[in-house]
């Protein structure tokens, strides 16, 4: 699925993906919910290829916001010439995360943030075969977060 602009996902929505599916957003995502009605991204069966959010410069810049969101059983996005290391990737777009869980990732990075500003509060990354958070040439704040069962670096700050 390719979205140009702002993708808004309402509280309580559960998105179920087939194995080769993914979301590419040229713009930003607003997936914000209260704790009772979480937003869940999960596979139909085994896994799915995750989310890629990028800012192209052709649209007004806006910050992505994730609040009370779960990303479950993701892999990296590899399709044609697009070969990302992250299961959930933000490139040249700012992102704010509160109460977000990344669970069971089979990718080089569970969360990859590149050339962006970020704020993470109460983020949990667990059960990933390699890096938890890979922040490349970015700056941000991480508060009250946990990283468990990480196969590589829990935190990787290359050039950040």
């Amino acid at each position: 699925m390719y979205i140009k602009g702002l993708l808004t996902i309402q509280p309580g929505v559960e998105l179920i993906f087939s194995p080769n599916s993914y979301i590419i957003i040229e713009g930003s995502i607003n997936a914000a919910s209260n704790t009772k009605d979480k937003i869940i991204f999960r596979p139909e069966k085994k896994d799915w290829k995750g989310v890629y959010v990028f800012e192209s410069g052709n649209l007004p810049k806006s910050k992505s916001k994730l609040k009370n969101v779960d990303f479950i059983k993701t892999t990296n996005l590899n399709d044609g010439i697009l070969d990302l290391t992250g299961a959930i990737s933000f490139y040249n777009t700012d992102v704010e995360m509160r109460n977000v869980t990344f669970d069971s990732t089979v990718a080089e990075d569970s969360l990859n943030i590149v050339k962006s500003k970020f704020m993470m509060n109460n983020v949990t990354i667990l059960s990933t075969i390699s890096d938890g958070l890979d922040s490349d040439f970015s700056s941000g704040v991480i508060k009250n977060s946990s990283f468990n069962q990480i196969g590589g670096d829990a935190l990787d700050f290359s050039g950040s």
Side-chain angles (χ1 to χ4, degrees):
M1 182 182 330
Y2 182 87
I3 307 290
K4 190 169 186 171
L6 171 64
L7 172 62
T8 300
I9 300 173
Q10 299 298 316
V13 169
E14 183 173 6
L15 297 163
I16 302 170
F17 297 88
S18 63
N20 291 315
S21 62
Y22 51 84
I23 299 174
I24 296 176
I25 303 167
E26 182 181 355
S28 58
I29 181 172
N30 183 1
S33 175
N34 59 39
T35 54
K36 188 178 91 174
D37 297 318
K38 290 184 94 168
I39 296 169
I40 300 171
F41 294 74
R42 70 170 182 85
E44 176 183 36
K45 293 182 182 174
K46 184 181 164 196
D47 53 31
W48 63 289
K49 292 185 176 185
V51 179
Y52 175 42
V53 181
F54 72 100
E55 190 273 320
S56 68
N58 296 329
L59 299 168
K61 191 165 186 166
S62 63
K63 182 188 297 186
S64 289
K65 294 181 183 176
L66 302 173
K67 182 179 177 189
N68 296 312
V69 177
D70 290 346
F71 293 98
I72 302 168
K73 294 186 179 177
T74 52
T75 64
N76 66 305
L77 202 169
N78 181 336
D79 191 4
I81 63 169
L82 188 60
D83 188 11
L84 303 176
T85 61
I88 308 300
S89 300
F90 292 88
Y91 179 83
N92 199 30
T93 184
D94 299 342
V95 60
E96 180 179 313
M97 292 179 247
R98 293 182 187 277
N99 304 320
V100 177
T101 300
F102 302 87
D103 186 2
S104 303
T105 303
V106 179
E108 177 65 27
D109 311 309
S110 187
L111 173 61
N112 189 214
I113 302 174
V114 182
K115 296 182 180 178
S116 305
K117 293 179 182 174
F118 65 91
M119 194 287 299
M120 297 170 56
N121 190 354
N122 196 30
V123 171
T124 300
I125 298 178
L126 62 115
S127 189
T128 182
I129 64 162
S130 193
D131 296 347
L133 166 64
D134 189 348
S135 169
D136 299 313
F137 310 102
S138 297
S139 62
V141 174
I142 301 170
K143 295 180 180 179
N144 306 314
S145 296
S146 65
F147 304 85
N148 298 294
Q149 299 172 326
I150 307 294
D153 300 324
L155 302 168
D156 183 348
F157 298 111
S158 306
S160 293

